[in-house]
Amino acid sequence: MPKFLFVTGGVVSSLGKGIASASLGALLESRGLKVTIIKMDPYLNVDPGTMSPFQHGEVFVTEDGAETDLDLGHYERFTDSRSRKSNNFTTGQIYDSVLRKERRGEYLGKTVQVIPHITNEIQDFILRGARVGTPEEVDVAIVEVGGTVGDIESLPFMEAIRQLSLRNGRQSSCFVHLTLVPFIASAGELKTKPTQHSVQKLREIGISPNLLLCRADRPIPQDEREKISLFSNLPMEAVISVADVDSIYRIPRMLWEQKADALICEALGLSVPEANLREWDQLISRLENPQRTVRIAMVGKYVDLTESYKSLSEALIHAGLHTESRVQIDYLDSELLQDGDVQRLEALASYDAILVPGGFGLRGTEGKIRAIQFARERRIPYLGICLGMQLAVIEFARHVAGLAGANSTEFNPASPHPVVGLITEWQDADGSRQTRSEESDLGGTMRLGAQRCPIHPGTRAQRIYGNEVYERHRHRYEVNNAYKSRLRDAGLVIASETPVEQLVEMVELPESVHPWFVAVQFHPEFTSTPRRGHPLFQSFITAAIERQKAKEHSA
Ligand code: GLN
């Protein structure tokens, strides 16, 4: 049986429980342990796929095509573990599963109740997430409980982890509780009371934390830590101060310096080698010593909530770490570029590169197309991701291939040139309707998850990725195969296509025409990590650096 590290949160949400869990995962992994991190979300939605990015931030997509909470992105960035569908589940999924069993008569006529049926189901889901009984069983499963202690909706989860720890016996589980120690400006003091109350609340449920991670805007002094230790009945060393930092990648070291990982290993009865922070320290030193700053214009819709582009902004930062540069991302609202405001458009020229990320819905698309046209015509490095590729194809179709009114049927179903559409629409149109291969039909109508695709030789894509690409998808619309030859004839390079249906995966402009113009149907941002970087983003940032250098040179 794996060991379990349960991470709960207290006082308020948004304290960074996901990052704390991921950082602990990084430390345990560096001690040679095989870890996985599971996120339990107490809401009723079956998954976050249908939730607004304004509400919920980014939807992270796993290799096997699950639409999950963005915390899973942190887990994959901090550790080498790869998440699956089973690493994230919600109250909705638990109830769904229990109700199906009930309908099938699996409870043999018993009254089905929250305790034990829901709580047992939660435990089963946790064991599945930890891959128990499979060759991939982990040493430690870190289980993050979404929400805050005291929430009605998280109670069944709390009860389930309490029972699981009891069931597995001594040294099987360790409880980490993340709380807030606010600084009250008028009193000039850090206040420990909310933390005391939060620990009491946890105890009422029957859970005694082994470790407190106390978030504050500054390091928590000895006095306050003593107070917390006394009132929450924990040894001093178990009260860990987690101060605000300029980079989340400093957290593993911060926790290590206060021996968080050692305390956890002790609580779990694990005698394993010391943590090794070499890679993390290297990363921090890169972070602290950039040679230059590159400025990227990210032209999108959800610009007022950068959480919706979490993985993407992290991927750009990682690329900076691996190219000795600091990446500054300016989020520009595409709607403002929409209506002929030449000055605003012209301002894009001051950037070192332009990026159009993924997105859904009509709003702002014409503004994005203008930005792409600007990048193409002015030879500014351009990276298009998912929607950013579809719009690049539309822009090229309209302005280079002479297909006036070209569009995606997502935005104009009556377009005379639907260069992007639902696969069913364009296959119906040319009479060659085929069914999708199983591989690409993972999520029903949505193409979800990772897919392996060959890359055509002689392309920039091949120089970046090698002969094949294995990246994750999340989209419904595809470039219309019926238009491929016209686009090719006009000079668009289709650099990669899916093996069965020949769906467009990557497009680019030849180097003779543009210094760096690459657009991809998948989401490369999901596989970038700070320690390993990512070839596509590194290539993009390198192009941005080159543009900057060329500008300096000509100035
Ligand atoms: N809206 C487009 C589609 O569904 C693009 C999706 C995306 O960018 N993730 O195909």
Side-chain angles (χ1 to χ4, degrees):
M1 190 54 97
K3 306 280 185 176
F4 290 97
L5 175 62
F6 296 111
V7 182
T8 57
V11 187
V12 292
S13 60
S14 305
L15 289 178
K17 220 185 317 154
I19 290 169
S21 306
S23 301
L24 292 173
L27 291 177
L28 295 180
E29 209 172 59
S30 82
R31 285 173 160 249
L33 293 164
K34 184 167 169 191
V35 302
T36 193
I37 313 181
I38 299 164
K39 172 84 190 276
M40 310 197 289
D41 281 310
Y43 50 74
L44 279 165
N45 305 60
V46 171
D47 66 42
T50 52
M51 288 160 85
S52 157
F54 284 112
Q55 276 240 326
H56 194 259
E58 167 186 280
V59 173
F60 186 79
V61 180
T62 59
E63 221 162 63
D64 63 351
E67 299 179 274
T68 67
D69 187 82
L70 59 73
D71 277 331
L72 273 80
H74 295 308
Y75 307 162
E76 293 202 7
R77 286 188 281 276
F78 278 80
T79 70
D80 287 325
S81 70
R82 286 294 157 262
S83 301
R84 299 254 181 84
K85 277 195 173 87
S86 55
N87 282 76
N88 185 204
F89 55 88
T90 67
T91 299
Q93 275 171 46
I94 297 290
Y95 272 82
D96 186 53
S97 174
V98 168
L99 291 175
R100 279 170 205 270
K101 286 186 185 167
E102 188 271 335
R103 289 292 87 185
R104 288 196 300 265
E106 286 182 30
Y107 296 113
L108 307 173
K110 290 211 184 76
T111 310
V112 180
Q113 294 177 299
V114 172
I115 301 172
H117 300 99
I118 295 294
T119 47
N120 283 350
E121 196 70 17
I122 294 172
Q123 293 177 57
D124 289 349
F125 269 60
I126 293 175
L127 299 185
R128 193 180 314 160
R131 333 257 209 260
V132 171
T134 76
E136 292 171 315
E137 182 168 309
V138 295
D139 301 318
V140 181
I142 301 175
V143 183
E144 180 188 340
V145 188
T148 308
V149 174
D151 294 348
I152 291 176
E153 13 177 62
S154 56
L155 262 179
F157 290 98
M158 298 293 183
E159 175 61 14
I161 61 176
R162 185 191 69 79
Q163 289 182 14
L164 190 61
S165 73
L166 197 68
R167 210 167 101 185
N168 289 347
R170 274 189 67 245
Q171 295 196 323
S172 70
S173 307
C174 175
F175 290 91
V176 173
H177 190 54
L178 182 78
T179 72
L180 175 69
V181 179
F183 182 79
I184 303 299
S186 56
E189 276 177 44
L190 282 165
K191 290 294 181 188
T192 64
K193 194 80 80 191
T195 295
Q196 297 173 31
H197 284 172
S198 176
V199 175
Q200 278 167 19
K201 195 87 209 153
L202 204 56
R203 286 239 159 80
E204 274 170 30
I205 309 170
I207 295 173
S208 299
N210 298 78
L211 208 66
L212 288 181
L213 302 182
C214 301
R215 290 280 293 110
D217 64 353
R218 64 202 68 204
I220 301 170
Q222 182 84 1
D223 275 2
E224 278 75 17
R225 286 179 53 224
E226 265 167 17
K227 217 162 161 185
I228 296 171
S229 150
L230 187 66
F231 285 105
S232 29
N233 193 31
L234 276 169
M236 257 298 274
E237 74 261 23
V239 180
I240 289 179
S241 154
V242 188
D244 285 352
V245 271
D246 58 349
S247 165
I248 52 175
Y249 301 123
R250 291 185 194 275
I251 312 272
R253 170 163 275 281
M254 185 190 286
L255 296 177
W256 176 80
E257 280 172 357
Q258 298 176 74
K259 304 195 166 56
D261 56 316
L263 288 165
I264 290 168
C265 288
E266 198 185 296
L268 293 175
L270 292 166
S271 52
V272 284
E274 280 299 311
N276 178 350
L277 279 95
R278 198 176 48 86
E279 284 183 323
W280 294 100
D281 289 343
Q282 258 171 17
L283 210 114
I284 294 304
S285 101
R286 284 182 172 157
L287 196 73
E288 285 169 348
N289 302 296
Q291 297 299 304
R292 63 174 63 71
T293 297
V294 289
R295 290 172 62 239
I296 309 294
M298 169 125 66
V299 182
K301 182 164 74 164
Y302 307 114
V303 280
D304 31 354
L305 196 73
T306 55
E307 286 290 287
S308 31
Y309 296 125
K310 192 76 202 155
S311 293
L312 186 48
S313 49
E314 289 302 314
L316 290 166
I317 293 168
H318 304 159
L321 292 175
H322 291 267
T323 52
E324 300 189 299
S325 53
R326 199 179 77 84
V327 178
Q328 180 194 321
I329 308 164
D330 283 2
Y331 299 90
L332 307 184
D333 187 346
S334 53
E335 273 194 298
L336 301 175
L337 295 173
Q338 204 128 309
D339 342 279
D341 187 339
V342 180
Q343 240 171 340
R344 227 185 260 278
L345 196 65
E346 199 54 43
L348 286 175
S350 69
Y351 286 94
D352 301 312
I354 296 174
L355 190 155
V356 173
F360 293 84
L362 170 69
R363 193 156 64 79
T365 48
E366 288 301 322
K368 291 177 197 172
I369 290 175
R370 289 192 81 198
I372 296 167
Q373 182 179 9
F374 190 83
R376 182 178 55 76
E377 292 177 350
R378 302 289 280 267
R379 297 169 48 85
I380 302 169
Y382 174 74
L383 175 60
I385 292 176
C386 205
L387 179 66
M389 184 195 89
Q390 296 172 358
L391 296 176
V393 169
I394 293 166
E395 192 279 320
F396 187 88
R398 286 185 193 173
H399 304 125
V400 185
L403 301 166
N407 215 331
S408 164
T409 54
E410 182 179 6
F411 315 126
N412 178 13
S415 164
H417 295 296
V419 291
V420 177
L422 293 176
I423 195 167
T424 46
E425 293 169 344
W426 49 260
Q427 285 184 347
D428 282 344
D430 72 0
S432 65
R433 180 169 191 162
Q434 337 161 348
T435 45
R436 283 194 149 188
S437 69
E438 220 172 289
E439 200 185 6
S440 61
D441 202 14
L442 289 168
T445 55
M446 193 65 110
R447 178 141 71 112
L448 279 171
Q451 195 176 2
R452 216 172 281 286
C453 291
I455 295 182
H456 301 316
T459 56
R460 183 190 290 283
Q462 191 204 30
R463 285 198 293 289
I464 293 171
Y465 272 108
N467 293 330
E468 73 171 20
V469 53
Y470 184 61
E471 295 277 22
R472 304 176 196 176
H473 294 252
R474 180 172 185 252
H475 58 102
R476 287 199 176 82
Y477 293 80
E478 304 280 357
V479 172
N480 188 338
N481 279 356
Y483 280 94
K484 271 203 264 186
S485 59
R486 269 184 278 182
L487 294 168
R488 275 199 179 109
D489 291 346
L492 187 72
V493 176
I494 296 172
S496 171
E497 290 154 286
T498 62
V500 181
E501 295 101 334
Q502 300 287 299
L503 301 171
V504 173
E505 281 283 286
M506 303 181 78
V507 300
E508 61 188 53
L509 292 177
E511 261 140 87
S512 53
V513 178
H514 196 288
W516 205 100
F517 191 104
V518 179
V520 297
Q521 184 59 78
F522 47 77
H523 288 273
E525 67 271 27
F526 293 142
T527 53
S528 174
T529 70
R531 287 176 293 169
R532 323 255 175 272
H534 187 287
L536 183 60
F537 289 102
Q538 268 156 248
S539 177
F540 176 56
I541 296 300
T542 305
I545 293 170
E546 258 145 45
R547 173 174 158 82
Q548 190 180 75
K549 281 187 184 159
K551 276 207 287 191
E552 280 163 11
H553 198 70
S554 64

mmCIF file of all heavy atoms in Angstrom, residues 384-418:
data_model
loop_
_atom_site.group_PDB
_atom_site.id
_atom_site.type_symbol
_atom_site.label_atom_id
_atom_site.label_comp_id
_atom_site.label_asym_id
_atom_site.label_seq_id
_atom_site.Cartn_x
_atom_site.Cartn_y
_atom_site.Cartn_z
ATOM 1 N N GLY A 384 1.207 30.527 -32.911
ATOM 2 C CA GLY A 384 -0.238 30.381 -32.770
ATOM 3 C C GLY A 384 -0.532 29.033 -32.127
ATOM 4 O O GLY A 384 0.037 28.017 -32.521
ATOM 5 N N ILE A 385 -1.415 29.053 -31.141
ATOM 6 C CA ILE A 385 -1.732 27.811 -30.446
ATOM 7 C C ILE A 385 -3.219 27.529 -30.569
ATOM 8 O O ILE A 385 -4.051 28.371 -30.190
ATOM 9 C CB ILE A 385 -1.309 27.902 -28.966
ATOM 10 C CG1 ILE A 385 0.215 27.956 -28.890
ATOM 11 C CG2 ILE A 385 -1.845 26.715 -28.173
ATOM 12 C CD1 ILE A 385 0.760 28.136 -27.510
ATOM 13 N N CYS A 386 -3.552 26.373 -31.110
ATOM 14 C CA CYS A 386 -4.929 25.906 -31.240
ATOM 15 C C CYS A 386 -5.768 26.924 -32.003
ATOM 16 O O CYS A 386 -5.614 27.049 -33.207
ATOM 17 C CB CYS A 386 -5.500 25.565 -29.867
ATOM 18 S SG CYS A 386 -6.824 24.348 -29.979
ATOM 19 N N LEU A 387 -6.607 27.710 -31.326
ATOM 20 C CA LEU A 387 -7.344 28.746 -32.038
ATOM 21 C C LEU A 387 -6.366 29.664 -32.782
ATOM 22 O O LEU A 387 -6.653 30.139 -33.884
ATOM 23 C CB LEU A 387 -8.190 29.562 -31.045
ATOM 24 C CG LEU A 387 -8.995 30.697 -31.663
ATOM 25 C CD1 LEU A 387 -10.068 30.167 -32.596
ATOM 26 C CD2 LEU A 387 -9.628 31.559 -30.569
ATOM 27 N N GLY A 388 -5.209 29.894 -32.179
ATOM 28 C CA GLY A 388 -4.182 30.746 -32.788
ATOM 29 C C GLY A 388 -3.645 30.160 -34.089
ATOM 30 O O GLY A 388 -3.133 30.887 -34.942
ATOM 31 N N MET A 389 -3.751 28.829 -34.248
ATOM 32 C CA MET A 389 -3.386 28.222 -35.534
ATOM 33 C C MET A 389 -4.549 28.337 -36.507
ATOM 34 O O MET A 389 -4.369 28.685 -37.674
ATOM 35 C CB MET A 389 -3.012 26.753 -35.386
ATOM 36 C CG MET A 389 -2.555 26.182 -36.730
ATOM 37 S SD MET A 389 -2.475 24.386 -36.848
ATOM 38 C CE MET A 389 -4.133 24.015 -37.405
ATOM 39 N N GLN A 390 -5.752 28.059 -36.030
ATOM 40 C CA GLN A 390 -6.918 28.126 -36.924
ATOM 41 C C GLN A 390 -7.037 29.532 -37.517
ATOM 42 O O GLN A 390 -7.293 29.691 -38.715
ATOM 43 C CB GLN A 390 -8.182 27.737 -36.151
ATOM 44 C CG GLN A 390 -8.147 26.283 -35.666
ATOM 45 C CD GLN A 390 -9.304 25.928 -34.733
ATOM 46 O OE1 GLN A 390 -10.134 26.774 -34.408
ATOM 47 N NE2 GLN A 390 -9.344 24.684 -34.291
ATOM 48 N N LEU A 391 -6.822 30.548 -36.664
ATOM 49 C CA LEU A 391 -6.941 31.928 -37.149
ATOM 50 C C LEU A 391 -5.799 32.280 -38.096
ATOM 51 O O LEU A 391 -5.975 33.051 -39.045
ATOM 52 C CB LEU A 391 -6.997 32.905 -35.974
ATOM 53 C CG LEU A 391 -8.226 32.749 -35.061
ATOM 54 C CD1 LEU A 391 -8.133 33.695 -33.865
ATOM 55 C CD2 LEU A 391 -9.519 33.003 -35.837
ATOM 56 N N ALA A 392 -4.622 31.699 -37.864
ATOM 57 C CA ALA A 392 -3.499 31.945 -38.774
ATOM 58 C C ALA A 392 -3.818 31.363 -40.155
ATOM 59 O O ALA A 392 -3.493 31.961 -41.185
ATOM 60 C CB ALA A 392 -2.213 31.334 -38.215
ATOM 61 N N VAL A 393 -4.479 30.209 -40.158
ATOM 62 C CA VAL A 393 -4.861 29.603 -41.434
ATOM 63 C C VAL A 393 -5.922 30.466 -42.124
ATOM 64 O O VAL A 393 -5.859 30.712 -43.328
ATOM 65 C CB VAL A 393 -5.365 28.147 -41.206
ATOM 66 C CG1 VAL A 393 -6.019 27.592 -42.462
ATOM 67 C CG2 VAL A 393 -4.212 27.254 -40.758
ATOM 68 N N ILE A 394 -6.863 30.973 -41.333
ATOM 69 C CA ILE A 394 -7.909 31.844 -41.896
ATOM 70 C C ILE A 394 -7.282 33.117 -42.474
ATOM 71 O O ILE A 394 -7.600 33.543 -43.590
ATOM 72 C CB ILE A 394 -8.966 32.183 -40.815
ATOM 73 C CG1 ILE A 394 -9.726 30.912 -40.429
ATOM 74 C CG2 ILE A 394 -9.911 33.288 -41.281
ATOM 75 C CD1 ILE A 394 -10.552 31.040 -39.157
ATOM 76 N N GLU A 395 -6.372 33.695 -41.704
ATOM 77 C CA GLU A 395 -5.712 34.929 -42.156
ATOM 78 C C GLU A 395 -4.971 34.671 -43.463
ATOM 79 O O GLU A 395 -5.070 35.438 -44.423
ATOM 80 C CB GLU A 395 -4.750 35.418 -41.060
ATOM 81 C CG GLU A 395 -4.210 36.826 -41.265
ATOM 82 C CD GLU A 395 -3.050 36.904 -42.240
ATOM 83 O OE1 GLU A 395 -2.164 36.015 -42.214
ATOM 84 O OE2 GLU A 395 -3.015 37.868 -43.051
ATOM 85 N N PHE A 396 -4.260 33.568 -43.515
ATOM 86 C CA PHE A 396 -3.498 33.233 -44.711
ATOM 87 C C PHE A 396 -4.439 32.980 -45.894
ATOM 88 O O PHE A 396 -4.201 33.432 -47.012
ATOM 89 C CB PHE A 396 -2.635 31.990 -44.437
ATOM 90 C CG PHE A 396 -1.685 31.659 -45.538
ATOM 91 C CD1 PHE A 396 -0.415 32.219 -45.578
ATOM 92 C CD2 PHE A 396 -2.054 30.785 -46.555
ATOM 93 C CE1 PHE A 396 0.465 31.917 -46.603
ATOM 94 C CE2 PHE A 396 -1.179 30.483 -47.592
ATOM 95 C CZ PHE A 396 0.089 31.042 -47.617
ATOM 96 N N ALA A 397 -5.530 32.288 -45.629
ATOM 97 C CA ALA A 397 -6.499 31.991 -46.684
ATOM 98 C C ALA A 397 -7.060 33.288 -47.267
ATOM 99 O O ALA A 397 -7.132 33.464 -48.485
ATOM 100 C CB ALA A 397 -7.624 31.122 -46.125
ATOM 101 N N ARG A 398 -7.424 34.207 -46.376
ATOM 102 C CA ARG A 398 -8.030 35.459 -46.842
ATOM 103 C C ARG A 398 -7.045 36.340 -47.593
ATOM 104 O O ARG A 398 -7.363 36.877 -48.650
ATOM 105 C CB ARG A 398 -8.527 36.283 -45.638
ATOM 106 C CG ARG A 398 -9.770 35.745 -45.000
ATOM 107 C CD ARG A 398 -10.197 36.739 -43.913
ATOM 108 N NE ARG A 398 -11.199 36.156 -43.035
ATOM 109 C CZ ARG A 398 -11.643 36.748 -41.937
ATOM 110 N NH1 ARG A 398 -11.164 37.933 -41.579
ATOM 111 N NH2 ARG A 398 -12.546 36.174 -41.186
ATOM 112 N N HIS A 399 -5.857 36.508 -47.022
ATOM 113 C CA HIS A 399 -4.969 37.557 -47.523
ATOM 114 C C HIS A 399 -3.860 37.070 -48.432
ATOM 115 O O HIS A 399 -3.225 37.860 -49.100
ATOM 116 C CB HIS A 399 -4.376 38.354 -46.347
ATOM 117 C CG HIS A 399 -5.440 38.934 -45.460
ATOM 118 N ND1 HIS A 399 -5.480 38.695 -44.104
ATOM 119 C CD2 HIS A 399 -6.523 39.688 -45.746
ATOM 120 C CE1 HIS A 399 -6.536 39.299 -43.580
ATOM 121 N NE2 HIS A 399 -7.189 39.915 -44.553
ATOM 122 N N VAL A 400 -3.593 35.781 -48.418
ATOM 123 C CA VAL A 400 -2.545 35.273 -49.304
ATOM 124 C C VAL A 400 -3.130 34.337 -50.369
ATOM 125 O O VAL A 400 -2.810 34.452 -51.546
ATOM 126 C CB VAL A 400 -1.428 34.539 -48.516
ATOM 127 C CG1 VAL A 400 -0.294 34.129 -49.456
ATOM 128 C CG2 VAL A 400 -0.887 35.427 -47.400
ATOM 129 N N ALA A 401 -4.009 33.440 -49.937
ATOM 130 C CA ALA A 401 -4.533 32.453 -50.888
ATOM 131 C C ALA A 401 -5.727 32.986 -51.676
ATOM 132 O O ALA A 401 -6.287 32.272 -52.506
ATOM 133 C CB ALA A 401 -4.901 31.171 -50.151
ATOM 134 N N GLY A 402 -6.141 34.223 -51.380
ATOM 135 C CA GLY A 402 -7.223 34.846 -52.141
ATOM 136 C C GLY A 402 -8.601 34.252 -51.882
ATOM 137 O O GLY A 402 -9.467 34.306 -52.757
ATOM 138 N N LEU A 403 -8.799 33.685 -50.711
ATOM 139 C CA LEU A 403 -10.103 33.106 -50.386
ATOM 140 C C LEU A 403 -10.892 34.101 -49.527
ATOM 141 O O LEU A 403 -10.911 34.010 -48.300
ATOM 142 C CB LEU A 403 -9.918 31.777 -49.641
ATOM 143 C CG LEU A 403 -9.140 30.693 -50.399
ATOM 144 C CD1 LEU A 403 -8.724 29.565 -49.468
ATOM 145 C CD2 LEU A 403 -9.984 30.158 -51.555
ATOM 146 N N ALA A 404 -11.506 35.073 -50.197
ATOM 147 C CA ALA A 404 -12.199 36.131 -49.470
ATOM 148 C C ALA A 404 -13.311 35.549 -48.612
ATOM 149 O O ALA A 404 -14.022 34.643 -49.040
ATOM 150 C CB ALA A 404 -12.770 37.141 -50.456
ATOM 151 N N GLY A 405 -13.424 36.074 -47.393
ATOM 152 C CA GLY A 405 -14.488 35.623 -46.497
ATOM 153 C C GLY A 405 -14.185 34.291 -45.833
ATOM 154 O O GLY A 405 -15.046 33.706 -45.177
ATOM 155 N N ALA A 406 -12.958 33.802 -46.005
ATOM 156 C CA ALA A 406 -12.593 32.539 -45.349
ATOM 157 C C ALA A 406 -12.806 32.668 -43.850
ATOM 158 O O ALA A 406 -12.576 33.719 -43.258
ATOM 159 C CB ALA A 406 -11.132 32.207 -45.647
ATOM 160 N N ASN A 407 -13.283 31.593 -43.252
ATOM 161 C CA ASN A 407 -13.525 31.643 -41.805
ATOM 162 C C ASN A 407 -13.639 30.229 -41.252
ATOM 163 O O ASN A 407 -13.545 29.241 -41.994
ATOM 164 C CB ASN A 407 -14.806 32.436 -41.504
ATOM 165 C CG ASN A 407 -14.691 33.224 -40.208
ATOM 166 O OD1 ASN A 407 -13.970 32.838 -39.295
ATOM 167 N ND2 ASN A 407 -15.411 34.342 -40.130
ATOM 168 N N SER A 408 -13.863 30.187 -39.944
ATOM 169 C CA SER A 408 -14.177 28.918 -39.302
ATOM 170 C C SER A 408 -15.686 28.878 -39.146
ATOM 171 O O SER A 408 -16.318 29.910 -38.883
ATOM 172 C CB SER A 408 -13.512 28.862 -37.927
ATOM 173 O OG SER A 408 -14.087 27.823 -37.163
ATOM 174 N N THR A 409 -16.282 27.713 -39.305
ATOM 175 C CA THR A 409 -17.737 27.621 -39.126
ATOM 176 C C THR A 409 -18.119 27.895 -37.669
ATOM 177 O O THR A 409 -19.272 28.151 -37.376
ATOM 178 C CB THR A 409 -18.260 26.238 -39.540
ATOM 179 O OG1 THR A 409 -17.523 25.248 -38.823
ATOM 180 C CG2 THR A 409 -18.098 26.014 -41.024
ATOM 181 N N GLU A 410 -17.125 27.896 -36.786
ATOM 182 C CA GLU A 410 -17.409 28.273 -35.396
ATOM 183 C C GLU A 410 -17.832 29.745 -35.330
ATOM 184 O O GLU A 410 -18.637 30.123 -34.500
ATOM 185 C CB GLU A 410 -16.160 28.034 -34.529
ATOM 186 C CG GLU A 410 -16.360 28.357 -33.047
ATOM 187 C CD GLU A 410 -15.126 28.098 -32.174
ATOM 188 O OE1 GLU A 410 -14.044 27.762 -32.705
ATOM 189 O OE2 GLU A 410 -15.249 28.250 -30.950
ATOM 190 N N PHE A 411 -17.299 30.553 -36.240
ATOM 191 C CA PHE A 411 -17.569 31.999 -36.184
ATOM 192 C C PHE A 411 -18.528 32.458 -37.261
ATOM 193 O O PHE A 411 -19.233 33.435 -37.098
ATOM 194 C CB PHE A 411 -16.247 32.775 -36.284
ATOM 195 C CG PHE A 411 -15.183 32.199 -35.401
ATOM 196 C CD1 PHE A 411 -13.941 31.842 -35.892
ATOM 197 C CD2 PHE A 411 -15.466 31.963 -34.053
ATOM 198 C CE1 PHE A 411 -12.991 31.270 -35.061
ATOM 199 C CE2 PHE A 411 -14.518 31.388 -33.216
ATOM 200 C CZ PHE A 411 -13.279 31.039 -33.719
ATOM 201 N N ASN A 412 -18.498 31.776 -38.409
ATOM 202 C CA ASN A 412 -19.442 32.116 -39.468
ATOM 203 C C ASN A 412 -19.845 30.846 -40.218
ATOM 204 O O ASN A 412 -19.152 30.428 -41.150
ATOM 205 C CB ASN A 412 -18.822 33.144 -40.426
ATOM 206 C CG ASN A 412 -19.775 33.471 -41.559
ATOM 207 O OD1 ASN A 412 -20.968 33.129 -41.497
ATOM 208 N ND2 ASN A 412 -19.267 34.133 -42.605
ATOM 209 N N PRO A 413 -20.954 30.259 -39.822
ATOM 210 C CA PRO A 413 -21.365 28.992 -40.437
ATOM 211 C C PRO A 413 -21.646 29.146 -41.932
ATOM 212 O O PRO A 413 -21.623 28.156 -42.670
ATOM 213 C CB PRO A 413 -22.656 28.626 -39.696
ATOM 214 C CG PRO A 413 -22.714 29.511 -38.494
ATOM 215 C CD PRO A 413 -21.890 30.716 -38.775
ATOM 216 N N ALA A 414 -21.886 30.396 -42.377
ATOM 217 C CA ALA A 414 -22.230 30.590 -43.786
ATOM 218 C C ALA A 414 -21.030 31.052 -44.611
ATOM 219 O O ALA A 414 -21.182 31.515 -45.733
ATOM 220 C CB ALA A 414 -23.353 31.616 -43.888
ATOM 221 N N SER A 415 -19.828 30.929 -44.045
ATOM 222 C CA SER A 415 -18.636 31.392 -44.760
ATOM 223 C C SER A 415 -18.514 30.715 -46.131
ATOM 224 O O SER A 415 -18.709 29.506 -46.255
ATOM 225 C CB SER A 415 -17.393 31.074 -43.921
ATOM 226 O OG SER A 415 -16.239 31.158 -44.718
ATOM 227 N N PRO A 416 -18.178 31.507 -47.173
ATOM 228 C CA PRO A 416 -18.011 30.899 -48.498
ATOM 229 C C PRO A 416 -16.803 29.952 -48.532
ATOM 230 O O PRO A 416 -16.750 29.051 -49.353
ATOM 231 C CB PRO A 416 -17.780 32.115 -49.409
ATOM 232 C CG PRO A 416 -17.297 33.203 -48.507
ATOM 233 C CD PRO A 416 -17.954 32.967 -47.189
ATOM 234 N N HIS A 417 -15.852 30.186 -47.650
ATOM 235 C CA HIS A 417 -14.671 29.321 -47.596
ATOM 236 C C HIS A 417 -14.434 28.844 -46.164
ATOM 237 O O HIS A 417 -13.625 29.435 -45.436
ATOM 238 C CB HIS A 417 -13.436 30.067 -48.127
ATOM 239 C CG HIS A 417 -13.544 30.401 -49.580
ATOM 240 N ND1 HIS A 417 -13.600 29.427 -50.559
ATOM 241 C CD2 HIS A 417 -13.614 31.603 -50.212
ATOM 242 C CE1 HIS A 417 -13.696 30.012 -51.739
ATOM 243 N NE2 HIS A 417 -13.716 31.320 -51.557
ATOM 244 N N PRO A 418 -15.135 27.802 -45.786
ATOM 245 C CA PRO A 418 -14.944 27.310 -44.413
ATOM 246 C C PRO A 418 -13.620 26.550 -44.296
ATOM 247 O O PRO A 418 -13.604 25.324 -44.308
ATOM 248 C CB PRO A 418 -16.157 26.395 -44.204
ATOM 249 C CG PRO A 418 -16.534 25.945 -45.581
ATOM 250 C CD PRO A 418 -16.110 27.003 -46.542
#
